[in-house]
Amino acid sequence: MMANKFKVLCSLLTGDCAAKDVSLTQWNLVIQQGRSTHVLSMLYYRLEQREQLIDVPKSVMWHLEAASIVSEKYLRDTRSEIKRFLPVFASLGVKLILLKGAAYVISDKPCAKGRTFSDIDLLVPKDNIDRLEAALQWHGWASSNQSAYDQRYYRDWMHEIPPLVHVKRHTVIDIHHTILPLTASLKPVASNLFAGSQEVEDGVWALSDIDMLLHSATHLFMDTEFDHAFRDLLDFDGLIRDVLMREFDWQALLIRGREMDLIQPLYYALRYSRRMFNTPIPLDVVTSCELEWTPVLTAGFMDVLFDRVIMPPHNSARLVGTALARKLLFIRGHYLRMPFGLLIRHLFHKAFISPNEKESSAA
Amino acid sequence: MIVSDFSVDECADQLACDGLRLNVGPFWCHIRSSLPLVAAHIYQLYPDAIIDQDRAFVDFPIQISRKSGTRGWVKPLVEFTFNGNVPFTPLSLNQSPALAEWGINWCVSAHAHQYLILHAAAVEKNNKAIIMPAPSGSGKSTLCTALVARGWRLLSDELTMISTKNSMLQPLPKPMSLKNESIQVIQEFWPESVFGHICTDTLKGSVAHVKPPAESVQRSSEKAEAAIVLFPQYQAGAALQLKSKEKAYAYMSLVENAFNYHLLGSHAFHALSNLVQQSDAYELAYSDLNDAISQLELLVS
């Protein structure tokens, strides 16, 4: 039932449906939904790969072409930023490891062609962060202006430092030292991630294929906000399809998930990727994942929530209770990221102290 | 079928129920609104626009509606929704026609990257198009409307769309937008002009829109070739003065007024280079519209 309203878009993206079989009425929905989920440019390149652009009606085509032009700009900008990072990282002897969108695109994952992203995410060993931040400052990247509380929030409790913004180009980089907040109940060991990383281009590294999958699942299903959930799940689907083009050991994924304490997000990613995109994941893999972990509040209940947030906030897909589902998952996300006492303290600060801080600093 | 085939009530009903699928330049907008001001605006200022209620594919799904919430009891606000998102802060009810126009302009400039899009007016006569890039307050819209009043074809008063393939100008003949004093100037200069509702107290002051001639709307699929890049400068009491400008100056000024030059990268560079190569560039200081028009008629004769 879940993918019904997005069925045409999903199956065009995965290749289960050909462009020539889509009616104009369906294209109308595909373009609107694709725009609100930020996947139009990915759709362009996937159709190009399958030589189906020729079957796209003329009136529809410009939407895809224009989206691909925007994604080319993202790619150019990312490449030029990386070129500027490289000497800084080299001078410190720190490995430049990309995460998320930038990693998928720069490592030329076929599924990521046309993928856009607003920030460049990097992974750096915690011990190197201070030196790196200081060096990047000399090149114009400065910590975005935040209150003392926010600085502490990031530096003591989170898995990343406050975003660095370039003073002239306004590009944003997020430097992570691990993939979940330090305060989260799940405790993946960051040093494992560095050990498995692979060089994807001269001096540019990404996580191993399996860690990339686990991270993709983690930042989608352990988060508090789901604005890009559809596209993030499409990433997971694409990464799975990509590893399946070669020989892939499903057991290795489960073992690594266990080792990294990430079975929970992996469970969700496998479940919803199959539901939404018909990802070719063997049923026994899902079952063995379920044996290790199932949602406390039952899978059926979580389906009700996640169905509502994975589908984009587009009118055509609005289900009753979407706003409530968002709120509940927002609370869940925070609960997973922080122990209860700290969470209460954090929410109290955000609700009653931060607004006043902003007023006084503005005055 | 065109908008004026409807009665004003039918037009309002369509907008309020299923929405109106309306042709604007190369685009199709699907506009929904139950606001009488919006219906009146479309009926008055888009009478010659083609509508096709059976059309399955539209480019821009748009809604202009009252913002819900208790604040609406004190001061009713309207918001513009595109594809389920609200890209601007809501405006007061009285400004809903301006919100509709700005909203459609935003739809084009934020998405139609198959064109290089300039913040500029463009008009055509004798197969020669004049592009007028200019900051607000330079009299660009006033001069553009005055030229249209004298029979020039309106290509666009706000967004000049340049094909990245051949540098031809794609018309977008929407209503022309006038601000503050220029509203009265044009009412006097062109007494037969059709004005929409005057929206007061907007960020830009008072704003009113003028209906484009039917011929400009009917010829909106006919592309035009740029011949002149003109920098108009209205100066009260000044004598007419036409000064030739260098191509490099014209190029850089066009870049400054482009919405998506950097986004398009080399596509934009080549399209704009061709356009500037084939065009002459001038600065025109004027105080009298008739003098300015005679001068421009000479340039394209």
Side-chain angles (χ1 to χ4, degrees):
Chain A
M1 65 122 242
M2 172 181 185
N4 268 348
K5 284 176 174 154
F6 274 71
K7 193 158 178 250
V8 184
L9 176 63
C10 291
S11 42
L12 267 179
L13 283 164
T14 55
D16 290 342
C17 157
K20 65 173 171 41
D21 299 325
V22 179
S23 73
L24 267 177
T25 310
Q26 289 173 322
W27 273 116
N28 198 46
L29 207 53
V30 164
I31 295 295
Q32 292 180 19
Q33 294 174 338
R35 194 186 303 293
S36 73
T37 51
H38 316 278
V39 298
L40 282 183
S41 49
M42 291 166 87
L43 181 58
Y44 173 89
Y45 288 107
R46 289 174 181 210
L47 294 177
E48 184 188 48
Q49 244 159 13
R50 292 179 214 131
E51 298 180 353
Q52 290 180 7
L53 282 178
I54 194 157
D55 301 320
V56 178
K58 209 171 157 247
S59 56
V60 177
M61 191 59 191
W62 76 260
H63 291 270
L64 298 178
E65 278 172 346
S68 82
I69 290 172
V70 176
S71 77
E72 277 175 35
K73 157 86 170 154
Y74 274 81
L75 184 59
R76 280 200 306 277
D77 287 355
T78 307
R79 288 204 179 281
S80 97
E81 291 301 311
I82 289 175
K83 221 181 258 172
R84 295 168 208 260
F85 297 146
L86 273 172
V88 183
F89 279 73
S91 69
L92 298 177
V94 177
K95 234 191 213 179
L96 173 58
I97 304 180
L98 298 173
L99 294 175
K100 303 190 210 173
Y104 311 149
V105 170
I106 297 298
S107 50
D108 270 337
K109 298 279 175 208
C111 63
K113 199 136 195 244
R115 169 75 150 77
T116 54
F117 42 89
S118 48
D119 312 340
I120 301 178
D121 295 285
L122 304 171
L123 182 71
V124 172
K126 197 160 195 275
D127 299 341
N128 289 329
I129 283 201
D130 290 345
R131 285 197 304 145
L132 181 68
E133 202 182 345
L136 284 171
Q137 251 178 36
W138 285 102
H139 293 83
W141 279 284
S143 194
S144 45
N145 194 15
Q146 268 149 340
S147 67
Y149 180 81
D150 283 340
Q151 288 283 343
R152 169 153 189 226
Y153 167 79
Y154 275 102
R155 288 178 196 276
D156 289 355
W157 300 329
M158 285 297 109
H159 49 307
E160 56 189 325
I161 62 170
L164 300 182
V165 183
H166 194 275
V167 286
K168 278 194 183 149
R169 297 190 302 278
H170 308 292
T171 43
V172 179
I173 49 179
D174 278 332
I175 301 185
H176 304 242
H177 46 79
T178 182
I179 56 176
L180 270 181
L182 301 172
T183 52
S185 49
L186 302 182
K187 306 273 183 212
V189 180
S191 56
N192 288 341
L193 297 170
F194 297 98
S197 58
Q198 49 179 332
E199 190 166 22
V200 292
E201 204 170 79
D202 265 354
V204 183
W205 297 67
L207 299 181
S208 71
D209 287 349
I210 282 184
D211 286 347
M212 211 183 262
L213 276 168
L214 288 171
H215 183 216
S216 158
T218 305
H219 84 79
L220 167 53
F221 285 103
M222 305 302 283
D223 211 339
T224 52
E225 277 162 27
F226 293 86
D227 294 342
H228 294 105
F230 180 87
R231 190 202 47 202
D232 291 349
L233 192 60
L234 181 66
D235 284 340
F236 185 83
D237 166 82
L239 292 172
I240 289 276
R241 288 171 195 266
D242 176 57
V243 293
L244 288 180
M245 303 222 275
R246 298 173 297 276
E247 216 164 289
F248 184 63
D249 181 4
W250 285 100
Q251 285 313 311
L253 176 64
L254 291 171
I255 293 170
R256 184 67 164 175
R258 212 171 292 139
E259 190 179 290
M260 295 293 284
D261 202 6
L262 296 175
I263 286 290
Q264 180 183 345
L266 181 62
Y267 161 87
Y268 283 118
L270 293 172
R271 180 179 182 87
Y272 293 110
S273 183
R274 274 180 109 233
R275 264 165 89 84
M276 196 78 181
F277 297 111
N278 211 7
T279 317
I281 299 165
L283 195 59
D284 62 297
V285 175
V286 183
T287 319
S288 18
C289 210
E290 277 169 357
L291 284 176
E292 299 188 35
W293 192 85
T294 43
V296 183
L297 299 170
T298 77
F301 180 71
M302 295 314 282
D303 287 350
V304 171
L305 296 186
F306 277 119
D307 282 357
R308 279 163 177 72
V309 299
I310 290 172
M311 283 202 274
H314 190 264
N315 300 338
S316 61
R318 209 153 188 96
L319 293 172
V320 178
T322 301
L324 181 64
R326 264 177 203 283
K327 270 183 199 130
L328 289 174
L329 288 174
F330 179 80
I331 296 169
R332 165 193 174 267
H334 273 296
Y335 174 72
L336 292 172
R337 288 157 77 95
M338 291 178 161
F340 191 68
L342 185 58
L343 176 60
I344 295 297
R345 185 174 149 194
H346 175 63
L347 293 180
F348 180 84
H349 196 106
K350 281 287 158 192
F352 300 110
I353 301 179
S354 294
N356 298 329
E357 273 177 358
K358 263 171 210 147
E359 269 165 34
S360 59
S361 66
Chain B
M1 193 177 184
I2 57 175
V3 171
S4 63
D5 292 337
F6 279 135
S7 72
V8 65
D9 290 338
E10 284 168 340
C11 178
D13 283 348
Q14 290 290 335
L15 278 164
C17 299
D18 184 40
L20 201 63
R21 291 163 184 83
L22 182 82
N23 178 244
V24 181
F27 306 112
W28 285 86
C29 300
H30 185 182
I31 307 175
R32 289 170 214 260
S33 182
S34 50
L35 300 172
L37 263 180
V38 172
H41 176 80
I42 288 176
Y43 194 72
Q44 277 181 308
L45 298 184
Y46 288 85
D48 307 300
I50 299 171
I51 45 179
D52 176 1
Q53 294 300 74
D54 298 323
R55 203 181 155 81
F57 186 83
V58 292
D59 296 298
F60 305 126
I62 289 167
Q63 195 172 351
I64 300 144
S65 52
R66 285 279 285 267
K67 187 172 159 41
S68 53
T70 44
R71 195 167 170 235
W73 294 94
V74 188
K75 187 191 176 200
L77 291 175
V78 282
E79 61 185 7
F80 177 90
T81 311
F82 167 70
N83 198 28
N85 288 318
V86 179
F88 320 110
T89 46
L91 295 181
S92 75
L93 190 58
N94 143 64
Q95 298 165 355
S96 46
L99 183 65
E101 288 301 321
W102 295 339
I104 296 172
N105 285 344
W106 173 84
C107 285
V108 173
S109 65
H111 301 104
H113 303 304
Q114 69 274 38
Y115 300 106
L116 170 62
I117 306 175
L118 308 178
H119 183 206
V123 288
E124 177 261 341
K125 188 170 191 178
N126 303 333
N127 293 322
K128 290 180 179 170
I130 299 187
I131 300 179
M132 296 185 269
S136 293
S138 58
K140 159 197 76 155
S141 287
T142 319
L143 183 55
C144 167
T145 312
L147 285 163
V148 169
R150 291 294 155 82
W152 289 56
R153 172 158 79 114
L154 173 70
L155 300 175
S156 174
D157 101 303
E158 194 81 24
L159 302 177
T160 296
M161 305 198 298
I162 302 166
S163 160
T164 50
K165 296 192 175 80
N166 54 18
S167 300
M168 294 290 280
L169 308 186
Q170 165 64 53
L172 185 70
K174 289 176 66 246
M176 295 161 280
S177 141
L178 295 171
K179 279 164 274 182
N180 304 321
E181 302 83 40
S182 46
I183 298 174
Q184 205 193 339
V185 170
I186 292 297
Q187 279 170 339
E188 284 165 15
F189 184 82
W190 188 14
E192 312 81 57
S193 57
V194 176
F195 269 78
H197 171 80
I198 298 182
C199 306
T200 51
D201 296 325
T202 75
L203 272 180
K204 304 176 179 184
S206 294
V207 172
H209 291 86
V210 184
K211 179 184 89 64
E215 196 217 353
S216 298
V217 177
Q218 285 150 4
R219 290 174 64 193
S220 68
S221 58
E222 208 178 295
K223 297 187 175 69
E225 195 169 347
I228 292 167
V229 178
L230 184 79
F231 301 94
Q233 190 54 63
Y234 173 82
Q235 285 164 8
L240 188 78
Q241 198 190 10
L242 184 75
K243 253 194 340 205
S244 186
K245 300 295 281 183
E246 287 163 5
K247 284 187 191 290
Y249 174 84
Y251 187 95
M252 291 317 290
S253 306
L254 292 175
V255 170
E256 262 172 49
N257 286 285
F259 285 94
N260 56 356
Y261 180 82
H262 295 284
L263 204 147
L264 299 188
S266 59
H267 304 291
F269 176 79
H270 294 301
L272 208 50
S273 303
N274 288 339
L275 186 140
V276 170
Q277 282 297 338
Q278 77 194 29
S279 309
D280 296 321
Y282 301 98
E283 189 178 80
L284 180 71
Y286 72 96
S287 58
D288 184 84
L289 282 171
N290 284 313
D291 290 352
I293 293 170
S294 316
Q295 177 68 72
L296 295 175
E297 301 259 345
L298 273 180
L299 286 179
V300 298
S301 62

